[in-house]
Amino acid sequence: MIQTRRIGAENSEMWARLVDAAEQVIREDGYAAASTRRVAQAAGIKPSLVHYYFPTTDDLLLAVFKRGAAQSDAMIEHALASEDPVRALWRFFSDTSRTALTMEFMALALHREGLREEIARHSEAMRARQTELFERLLGDRLGEIGAPAGLSVILAAIGRALVMENGLGIGAGHQEARALVETWLGRLLPRSESSEKS
Amino acid sequence: MIQTRRIGAENSEMWARLVDAAEQVIREDGYAAASTRRVAQAAGIKPSLVHYYFPTTDDLLLAVFKRGAAQSDAMIEHALASEDPVRALWRFFSDTSRTALTMEFMALALHREGLREEIARHSEAMRARQTELFERLLGDRLGEIGAPAGLSVILAAIGRALVMENGLGIGAGHQEARALVETWLGRLLPRSESSEKS
Amino acid sequence: MIQTRRIGAENSEMWARLVDAAEQVIREDGYAAASTRRVAQAAGIKPSLVHYYFPTTDDLLLAVFKRGAAQSDAMIEHALASEDPVRALWRFFSDTSRTALTMEFMALALHREGLREEIARHSEAMRARQTELFERLLGDRLGEIGAPAGLSVILAAIGRALVMENGLGIGAGHQEARALVETWLGRLLPRSESSEKS
Amino acid sequence: MIQTRRIGAENSEMWARLVDAAEQVIREDGYAAASTRRVAQAAGIKPSLVHYYFPTTDDLLLAVFKRGAAQSDAMIEHALASEDPVRALWRFFSDTSRTALTMEFMALALHREGLREEIARHSEAMRARQTELFERLLGDRLGEIGAPAGLSVILAAIGRALVMENGLGIGAGHQEARALVETWLGRLLPRSESSEKS
DNA sequence: AATGAATGAGATTTCATTCAT
DNA sequence: CATGAATGAAATCTCATTCAT
C-alpha cells in the first residue's frame, strides 16, 4: 500500500533520522505535536524534506509506530527466551518508556482511521503471541486465572495504567497494585524459579 | 478579585449548551477536535461567542472535565449506596461511554500542564474515596489482595483497557479478563453475602 | 463636542475610576494596551460599563489626556509662582512619570486624527504660556538664546529625550546633557538666586 | 544550529519587498498598523507568506528597524566624511523622514521587550560613534558644552522633538529653536573653520 | 535527492462596539 | 445606572500539502 509518490527510500539514513526525530517529539509532547515543522526542526532539516520521505503526516506516524512495534515484538521474543519469561513480560508491560509511546499511538488511533487498523492488528498479534506463551508456560497451573488471554489483557492493562497515571503525577495505590501483581505471578510461577536469578 | 476572566455565567443556558457541544465533539473525534470553530458549529453559534464564555480553549475543556468529574463522583456515591457496591463500582469502571471520555482527558492532560493538576487531583480524590470504600466493605476479607488502594488501581486499569481496546476494535482476551474480574469479585464478596452487609 | 450617547456623568465616581484605570494601563503597557477589556479589568468592572461612560475608546483616551493636561497646566502655574520658576520648569520637563505619559499621547496622536487636534492644541497653549513666562522672567537676559519660544522647545525636547531613552535603557550622555542644561540655566539665572533655595 | 526559525532567505527579492511594504505601512500609519494582513496587502501577497519569511511580527519589525539602522549608520559615516561634519549631523538629526521612523521604533520598543534590546544597543552605538566624532572634531573648543556625549544627546533630542511636533501640527518655537541650534553650532564650529579641519 | 516558495485553511484569541433589558 | 449577551472583524500564528526547480 506504499504510495507511489514516496521517493525517500525506507532504508536511507535520512529516513531513520526522521523516524527518530518524530519519535522523540511524540515522547516529549505527544502525537499532536508531531507536525511537519516540529519534526523537521528536531531532525535538523527543512520541512519539505519530511514530505519527501513521508507524503502525509500519517505516513510518518505509521512509520514510527511500525518501528516501535517491531522493537516490541523483539522484546517479547527476548522475554520469551529468558529464564523467567512471565516476569520478563511483566517488566515489558510496565516499562515506562515503551508503554508511554504505545499509549500515544492508541490515543491517536482512536481518532485516526488510517492508523487504527494497523495498530489494532499489531495489538491482536502481540496478544496472540503472549497468550500462546502463557499457555505453554503455565498450562495447568493457570487454575483460577482460567484463560491465558485474560492474563495478557490484565497485565497489559495494569502496566499501561501505572505508566499513564505516573505521567499525570498520580501515584496512589501504585505500590499496592504492583505488589499484588507480584503476588499473583509468585503463585503462578513458584518463587523458587525466580529467586535463583538474583 | 472582582472578576478574573470568565464573563459568561456558569449557570446560563448557553454555558451548558457549549459544554454539551464540546463534550459531544470530544466523544466523536477526540479532544484535539474540540476547536473553537468545531464547538461553535456543534452548538449552533458564532465562534467568538465560545470565547465569551470560555476565554481559552483549556477553560472549555476544563469545564467539560469538571462536569464529567462531578457526574462520576455522583455515580460513585450511588454505587457506594447500592446493594452490591463493589460490583457497582466495577460496572462504573467498565462503563464505555464515561471511561472513553475519561481516557480522552487523561491523554490530554499528559501534554497540557494547565489541565494536568485538576485531572490528577480528581483522580487521586476518586481513588481515595474508593479505597476508603473497599476498606470498609471488605476489611479483613481483602486477604491476598492486601491493600484496597491496589484493588482500585487494578479495577480502573482493566476497565480502561477494555474500553480503549474496544474503541480500537481489539477484542481478544476481553471476555476472559472480564470473567477473571468476576471471579475475583465473587471470592471477595460472594453475591449472597452482599445483601448481608450489616 | 460631547457625544449625546454618553450617559455616564463626568463627575461621577466611576468616571474617575475609569480614567485612573486607563492611565495606569497606559503607563504600564502603553496606549495600545488600553483596550476596553484591559481597562475594565484594571478598574474591576465589566467591559460594557466602559462604553457606557466612554462610547468609543478614543473618548476614554481623550479623557485621560485632558485630565493629565489639566494637571500639567496646574504644575506649570505652580512652577511659575515658585521662587525659581525656570528651574522648576526644567524639573517639570524632566519629570519621568508625567513626561512618559505625554510621550504616549504624542505617539498615539501621530496616528489618531481624533486625538491629534486636542493634543496639538494643548501643546501649543502650554508652549505659549511658557514662552510668556520666559519673556517676563528673563527678558533682556535672554541674550544669545534669542527667543523664549525656542528655549521652551529645547527644554521640552531634552526632557522628553532623557525620559524616553531612560525607558529604553539608554543612558549614555545623559548626565552630560543634564549638566549642560544646568549650566545654561545658571547663566540665564545667576547662581545667587537659586543657591539660596537649598 | 542547522536552522532556527526564519525560513525565507534574507537576500531574496520577496524578503526585501516585505520589508519595504512594512516600512511603508509604519510610515503611513505607525507600527501598530503593521499587521500581517496590512503588510501582505501592501506587498501584494497572501498573508501567510508574510509568516513564511517572518515567523513573528516582531521579526518583521526588527528587520525593518535593522535595515533602517544600517542606513542611519551609513548616513552618519557619510556626514563624518563631509566637509562640515557637525552641521551634516544636525541635518541628519532633523531629517523628518528618517527621524519619524526612528521615533516609531522607540515608541514601539518602550513596550516590546523583544525589540528593546536591539534598538537600545543601536542607539548607544550611534551615540558612541557621534561622541567620538565630536571629540575629535571639536576637542578643546567644546568649552562650555563640556562633554561631547551631551551634545549628541541634545542635538538628537531637539531633532526628534521638531519632527514629532511637526507630525502633530505643532510649530510654535520651532524656528527659534532651529536658529538657536545654528547659533551654537556656529560658535562651536565657525563655517569658515570647517574647511580647515586638518 | 532535496529544497525554496507558496498557499489556503484553520486555530486561538482579542478587539470595539451594539443592544435589549 | 448598569450589565449580560452577542457579533463581526481582525490579529497572530501554525498547519499539511503542493509544486517547480
Side-chain angles (χ1 to χ4, degrees):
Chain A
M1 200 93 36
I2 305 279
Q3 291 177 235
T4 55
R5 256 193 71 232
R6 177 182 299 153
I7 315 181
E10 201 158 330
N11 51 8
S12 72
E13 186 231 344
M14 186 57 81
W15 198 90
R17 180 134 69 108
L18 276 168
V19 175
D20 281 345
E23 183 177 317
Q24 180 197 327
V25 169
I26 295 172
R27 282 183 189 286
E28 282 171 11
D29 293 322
Y31 67 83
S35 69
T36 311
R37 273 145 82 127
R38 191 88 148 57
V39 170
Q41 196 188 17
I45 58 160
K46 307 292 163 73
S48 29
L49 191 52
V50 176
H51 283 288
Y52 176 69
Y53 283 89
F54 302 95
T56 74
T57 302
D58 276 7
D59 290 333
L60 172 56
L61 292 170
L62 201 51
V64 176
F65 173 76
K66 279 183 175 168
R67 200 179 62 174
Q71 288 165 354
S72 286
D73 289 344
M75 287 168 81
I76 289 179
E77 293 310 319
H78 189 253
L80 173 76
S82 77
E83 280 190 19
D84 192 354
V86 179
R87 282 199 181 78
L89 257 185
W90 168 236
R91 275 196 302 276
F92 168 79
F93 282 133
S94 56
D95 168 58
T96 300
S97 166
R98 193 202 56 87
T99 299
L101 196 60
T102 299
M103 299 284 302
E104 284 294 331
F105 278 109
M106 290 189 136
L108 174 59
L110 278 174
H111 304 290
R112 290 272 258 278
E113 299 189 11
L115 302 179
R116 185 153 57 230
E117 192 197 13
E118 177 75 19
I119 291 177
R121 212 169 41 70
H122 182 254
S123 286
E124 295 262 25
M126 278 202 349
R127 176 140 306 146
R129 184 78 181 103
Q130 288 159 25
T131 301
E132 179 194 318
L133 166 69
F134 284 139
E135 186 110 58
R136 183 151 58 74
L137 287 178
L138 304 176
D140 46 340
R141 238 176 308 140
L142 274 164
E144 75 160 0
I145 295 273
L151 182 57
S152 169
V153 169
I154 283 167
L155 290 184
I158 297 173
R160 280 184 220 147
L162 295 178
V163 167
M164 168 161 270
E165 292 195 356
N166 228 38
L168 296 175
I170 304 171
H174 284 202
Q175 229 153 2
E176 291 89 333
R178 267 179 209 282
L180 197 40
V181 171
E182 298 289 346
T183 305
W184 288 338
L185 297 185
R187 287 202 319 184
L188 283 174
L189 271 189
R191 194 169 299 265
S192 57
E193 288 189 23
S194 65
S195 59
E196 291 169 358
K197 271 180 52 185
S198 68
Chain B
M1 206 74 53
I2 307 256
Q3 67 151 170
T4 47
R5 296 165 63 206
R6 177 173 301 118
I7 311 184
E10 202 158 329
N11 52 7
S12 73
E13 187 230 342
M14 184 59 80
W15 198 89
R17 181 135 68 107
L18 277 168
V19 175
D20 282 344
E23 184 177 317
Q24 179 197 327
V25 169
I26 294 172
R27 281 182 191 285
E28 282 171 12
D29 294 322
Y31 66 83
S35 69
T36 308
R37 273 142 94 121
R38 191 86 149 58
V39 170
Q41 195 191 17
I45 58 164
K46 306 289 163 82
S48 33
L49 192 53
V50 175
H51 285 290
Y52 173 70
Y53 285 89
F54 302 96
T56 75
T57 302
D58 276 8
D59 290 332
L60 173 56
L61 293 170
L62 202 51
V64 176
F65 172 75
K66 279 184 175 168
R67 202 180 61 174
Q71 287 166 355
S72 286
D73 289 344
M75 287 168 79
I76 288 179
E77 294 310 318
H78 189 252
L80 173 74
S82 76
E83 280 193 16
D84 192 354
V86 179
R87 282 197 182 80
L89 257 184
W90 168 238
R91 276 196 302 276
F92 168 79
F93 282 133
S94 55
D95 168 56
T96 301
S97 165
R98 194 202 56 86
T99 299
L101 196 60
T102 299
M103 298 284 301
E104 282 296 331
F105 278 109
M106 289 189 136
L108 174 59
L110 277 174
H111 304 291
R112 288 272 256 281
E113 297 189 15
L115 302 179
R116 186 152 58 228
E117 194 197 12
E118 176 75 19
I119 291 177
R121 211 169 43 69
H122 183 254
S123 287
E124 295 261 24
M126 279 203 348
R127 178 141 303 148
R129 185 78 181 101
Q130 289 159 24
T131 301
E132 179 194 317
L133 166 70
F134 285 139
E135 186 109 61
R136 185 151 58 76
L137 288 177
L138 305 177
D140 45 341
R141 238 174 308 135
L142 274 163
E144 75 160 0
I145 296 271
L151 181 57
S152 170
V153 169
I154 284 167
L155 290 183
I158 298 172
R160 281 185 219 145
L162 295 179
V163 167
M164 168 162 269
E165 293 194 358
N166 228 38
L168 295 175
I170 304 171
H174 284 202
Q175 234 156 358
E176 291 89 334
R178 265 178 210 281
L180 196 38
V181 171
E182 298 289 347
T183 305
W184 287 338
L185 296 185
R187 285 202 319 182
L188 281 174
L189 197 65
R191 205 169 270 273
S192 55
E193 287 185 21
S194 74
S195 56
E196 294 175 20
K197 74 174 170 100
S198 74
Chain C
M1 201 90 37
I2 305 279
Q3 291 177 238
T4 56
R5 257 193 69 233
R6 179 182 298 151
I7 315 182
E10 201 158 329
N11 53 7
S12 73
E13 188 231 344
M14 185 58 80
W15 198 89
R17 180 132 70 109
L18 277 168
V19 175
D20 281 345
E23 183 177 318
Q24 179 196 328
V25 169
I26 294 172
R27 280 183 191 286
E28 282 171 11
D29 294 321
Y31 69 82
S35 68
T36 310
R37 274 143 84 125
R38 193 88 148 56
V39 170
Q41 197 187 16
I45 58 160
K46 307 292 164 72
S48 29
L49 192 51
V50 176
H51 283 289
Y52 175 69
Y53 283 89
F54 303 95
T56 74
T57 302
D58 276 8
D59 291 332
L60 173 57
L61 293 170
L62 200 50
V64 177
F65 172 75
K66 279 184 177 168
R67 202 181 61 175
Q71 287 166 357
S72 286
D73 289 344
M75 286 168 81
I76 287 180
E77 294 311 317
H78 190 252
L80 173 75
S82 76
E83 279 192 19
D84 191 355
V86 179
R87 281 198 181 79
L89 257 185
W90 168 238
R91 276 197 301 276
F92 169 78
F93 282 132
S94 56
D95 170 56
T96 301
S97 166
R98 195 202 57 87
T99 300
L101 196 60
T102 299
M103 298 285 300
E104 284 295 331
F105 279 108
M106 290 191 135
L108 174 59
L110 277 175
H111 305 290
R112 290 272 256 280
E113 299 188 13
L115 301 180
R116 186 153 55 229
E117 194 197 11
E118 177 75 19
I119 291 177
R121 212 167 42 67
H122 183 255
S123 287
E124 295 262 24
M126 278 203 346
R127 177 140 305 146
R129 184 78 180 103
Q130 288 158 26
T131 300
E132 180 194 317
L133 167 68
F134 285 139
E135 186 109 61
R136 185 152 57 78
L137 286 177
L138 306 176
D140 44 343
R141 237 175 308 141
L142 274 165
E144 75 160 1
I145 296 268
L151 182 58
S152 169
V153 168
I154 284 168
L155 291 184
I158 298 173
R160 282 185 218 145
L162 295 180
V163 166
M164 168 161 269
E165 292 194 358
N166 227 39
L168 296 174
I170 303 171
H174 283 203
Q175 234 157 358
E176 291 89 335
R178 266 178 211 282
L180 197 39
V181 171
E182 298 288 348
T183 303
W184 288 337
L185 297 186
R187 288 201 317 183
L188 283 174
L189 271 188
R191 196 170 297 266
S192 56
E193 287 189 23
S194 66
S195 59
E196 291 170 0
K197 270 180 53 183
S198 68
Chain D
M1 205 72 54
I2 308 255
Q3 67 150 169
T4 47
R5 298 163 62 207
R6 177 172 301 117
I7 312 185
E10 201 158 329
N11 53 8
S12 73
E13 187 229 341
M14 185 58 81
W15 198 90
R17 181 134 68 106
L18 277 167
V19 175
D20 282 343
E23 184 178 316
Q24 179 197 327
V25 169
I26 294 172
R27 280 183 191 285
E28 281 171 12
D29 293 323
Y31 67 83
S35 69
T36 308
R37 274 144 92 125
R38 190 87 149 59
V39 170
Q41 194 191 17
I45 58 163
K46 305 289 162 84
S48 34
L49 192 52
V50 176
H51 286 289
Y52 173 70
Y53 284 89
F54 302 96
T56 74
T57 301
D58 276 8
D59 290 332
L60 173 56
L61 293 170
L62 202 50
V64 176
F65 172 76
K66 279 184 176 168
R67 204 181 58 175
Q71 288 166 357
S72 287
D73 289 344
M75 287 168 79
I76 287 180
E77 294 309 318
H78 190 253
L80 174 73
S82 76
E83 280 195 16
D84 191 355
V86 179
R87 282 198 182 79
L89 258 183
W90 168 239
R91 276 196 302 276
F92 168 79
F93 281 133
S94 54
D95 169 55
T96 301
S97 165
R98 193 202 57 86
T99 299
L101 196 60
T102 299
M103 298 284 302
E104 283 295 330
F105 278 109
M106 289 190 135
L108 174 60
L110 277 175
H111 303 291
R112 289 273 257 279
E113 296 188 15
L115 302 179
R116 186 153 56 230
E117 195 197 11
E118 177 75 20
I119 290 177
R121 212 170 42 68
H122 183 255
S123 287
E124 295 260 25
M126 278 201 351
R127 176 141 305 148
R129 184 77 180 103
Q130 290 158 24
T131 300
E132 181 194 316
L133 167 69
F134 285 139
E135 186 111 59
R136 185 151 58 75
L137 288 177
L138 305 177
D140 44 342
R141 235 172 311 137
L142 274 164
E144 73 160 0
I145 296 273
L151 182 58
S152 169
V153 169
I154 284 169
L155 290 183
I158 298 172
R160 282 185 219 145
L162 294 179
V163 167
M164 169 162 268
E165 292 194 358
N166 228 38
L168 296 175
I170 303 171
H174 283 203
Q175 231 152 2
E176 291 90 334
R178 266 180 210 282
L180 197 39
V181 171
E182 297 289 348
T183 304
W184 287 339
L185 297 186
R187 287 203 319 183
L188 281 174
L189 198 64
R191 205 168 271 274
S192 55
E193 287 185 21
S194 74
S195 57
E196 293 174 22
K197 73 176 170 95
S198 72

